[in-house]
Structure formats: C-alpha cells, structure tokens
Amino acid sequence: MAVIYFIIIFLGILAVGLAINKPFRQQLNLKFHGRTEAIMAENASTPEGAEDIFSAAIQEKQKKFEQINNLYSEAEGRLDALKSDKYSVNEKLNKAQNNMNRCLDDGNDEDAKYYAAQKVSLEEQLEIIKTSIEETKVDVAQKKELKTKVFEELQALKNEKDVTIQQLKSDQARLEAARSLEGISNSETDRMIEKVREGAKKKKEMANGARISYENSAEAAEYRMQQRERESEIDRVLAEAKAKRKENKK
C-alpha cells in the first residue's frame, strides 16, 4: 500500500514539475521525440518495418484515390444531369415556340403572350444550364486529371514497396551471411587454439632462454670441464691398455 502511495505522490510531483518547468518539459519532449525518431529509423530499415510503413502509406493513398474518384463520379453525374436538363428544356422551348406560333396564326394574342413568356423563361434556364455544363466540364476534367495523378502515385508506391522490400530482404540475407561467416571464423574453438599457440610460443621462448642462460652459467662451464677431464682419463686408460697388450705380444 505504501508503494502505491509513493508512486502516486511521485507522479503528482512529476506532473507539477512538467507544468511549471517549461525548459525541462521541452527538453523531455525533445529527448522523447529523438528516441522515437531513432526507433522509427531502425524499424524502417528492416523488411518487416518497411512493409508496415509502405502498407500504411499505400492504404492512405488508396483512401485518397477513392475520395477523389467519388468526387469525379459525382461531377460526371452532375454533368450528365445537366445535359439531360438541357435536352428537356430544349424540348419545352421548342414546344413553347410552336404553341406561340400556332396562337399567332389563330390570332390569339393573349395565349401567344403566355407562350412567349414561357419561352423567355425557358431560354433563361437554358443559358444557365449551358453555363453550368461548361463549368462542370472543367470540374470533371480537373478531377479526372487529379484522379489519374493519384492513381499513378498509388501504383508507383506499390512498385516501390515491392522493390524496396526485395532489396532490404536481399541486404539482410547478405548481412546475416557475413555475420555467420564472422562467427565461424571467430568461434570459441578458434580463439582457444590461438591461445594454445600463443602459450606454446611463450613456452618455447622461455625454454630457449633457460637453455641459453644455463649454457652461459658457471655450473655449465664446470660440468663441461669435468666431462673433458673424464674423456681425457678414458683416453689415457685406453692408451695404456693398448700399450700393454702390444708389449705382451712381443
């Protein structure tokens, strides 16, 4: 229970410190942001991380394409509707013109005036529709161009994903192979063998040093002198024995 209270108090103090200490808060944000950027960069250099990032970017681009495509479809729908309205108004206009002409032929000016007013109203509608059609055509062309652009960007992003992921996988395989070879060439057994070689070399050097030291010592000199004296004594005894044998034969 005491630990929980301590944690709550610590978090409270930290929150107050962050609230009143702006430089510290900014420094903490910078460190956190820098750490986040480093993690993202490291993650992006792996095939799995790169695939996740590309997939998110492709999904976002796909969503944008769908939105633009919907706007393009709506604009085309408005253009078709305006063309249909134009056709309908033209028919009404022709009918009003015919009715007005018929009334004039019949000498019915009052009805002719009614159809004349109708004709003026339809002509005004027709001009508005024509203007709207031209404006909508421009809108459709712009949205079609934007739709094509985003679609090409989407396809390019998909192709880039495939190429990049393949390259990262190839580089990672080569890196792992190089690390494996490094591990083989620097295995624990190889290191132990190297230590044995170093030890044997040192032992040999020590033995050679001890031999040279002994050969140059007084003890060695005395030993060699004793050996020479012994050899001389042996030669003397052998010479005497030969001489006696020679005398006995006489």
Side-chain angles (χ1 to χ4, degrees):
M1 196 69 177
V3 175
I4 296 176
Y5 287 146
F6 175 77
I7 293 174
I8 293 173
I9 293 171
F10 174 76
L11 292 176
I13 294 173
L14 181 62
V16 173
L18 289 175
I20 64 176
N21 193 339
K22 185 176 180 181
F24 174 73
R25 186 171 70 251
Q26 291 176 341
Q27 186 179 10
L28 188 63
N29 288 336
L30 287 174
K31 287 183 178 180
F32 179 76
H33 180 71
R35 179 59 180 164
T36 303
E37 289 292 331
I39 293 173
M40 288 177 62
E42 182 179 355
N43 186 48
S45 63
T46 64
E48 296 78 11
E51 185 166 6
D52 290 341
I53 293 172
F54 267 112
S55 296
I58 289 171
Q59 186 176 3
E60 183 177 343
K61 186 70 71 173
Q62 180 72 39
K63 184 178 180 181
K64 183 178 181 181
F65 172 75
E66 290 173 356
Q67 291 174 342
I68 295 173
N69 188 49
N70 290 336
L71 293 174
Y72 170 73
S73 298
E74 290 174 1
E76 276 197 321
R78 287 197 306 272
L79 182 59
D80 291 340
L82 286 169
K83 289 179 179 179
S84 178
D85 290 344
K86 179 184 176 183
Y87 178 79
S88 177
V89 170
N90 271 324
E91 282 192 332
K92 292 178 181 179
L93 185 60
N94 290 332
K95 185 177 180 181
Q97 180 71 45
N98 293 332
N99 287 333
M100 184 185 69
N101 292 336
R102 179 177 53 79
C103 290
L104 289 173
D105 292 339
D106 293 341
N108 188 351
D109 290 347
E110 186 176 351
D111 288 347
K113 187 177 180 180
Y114 168 77
Y115 289 117
Q118 190 179 60
K119 180 175 178 293
V120 170
S121 177
L122 290 169
E123 285 175 344
E124 290 175 350
Q125 291 182 37
L126 186 61
E127 287 302 315
I128 294 174
I129 291 173
K130 286 180 178 179
T131 301
S132 297
I133 286 175
E134 295 304 316
E135 291 174 350
T136 306
K137 282 182 178 179
V138 174
D139 188 39
V140 168
Q142 290 176 345
K143 285 183 170 57
K144 183 179 181 181
E145 182 180 0
L146 184 58
K147 170 189 170 184
T148 302
K149 178 177 178 294
V150 174
F151 179 76
E152 290 175 350
E153 290 175 352
L154 178 61
Q155 295 305 118
L157 193 59
K158 289 179 178 179
N159 293 335
E160 184 182 2
K161 173 191 173 183
D162 294 338
V163 172
T164 303
I165 298 300
Q166 187 61 42
Q167 184 63 51
L168 284 173
K169 286 181 178 179
S170 176
D171 292 342
Q172 181 170 302
R174 291 191 297 111
L175 181 61
E176 289 175 354
R179 287 174 176 172
S180 297
L181 291 175
E182 182 180 352
I184 292 173
S185 60
N186 295 306
S187 65
E188 186 64 26
T189 304
D190 290 338
R191 287 192 289 269
M192 293 302 294
I193 289 293
E194 189 62 30
K195 289 185 180 295
V196 171
R197 289 171 180 160
E198 291 176 1
K201 182 179 179 182
K202 288 181 180 179
K203 285 290 184 181
K204 184 176 182 180
E205 291 174 353
M206 291 173 62
N208 289 338
R211 179 180 58 80
I212 293 171
S213 177
Y214 173 75
E215 288 179 352
N216 294 330
S217 66
E219 181 181 355
E222 183 179 357
Y223 174 76
R224 285 193 291 269
M225 184 180 68
Q226 289 176 355
Q227 288 295 106
R228 287 196 296 271
E229 290 177 353
R230 187 168 181 276
E231 289 291 331
S232 296
E233 180 64 20
I234 292 171
D235 291 341
R236 184 185 63 76
V237 170
L238 185 61
E240 289 179 355
K242 287 181 178 180
K244 287 180 179 181
R245 286 175 62 82
K246 188 175 181 181
E247 289 178 0
N248 291 335
K249 287 181 179 180
K250 291 180 180 180

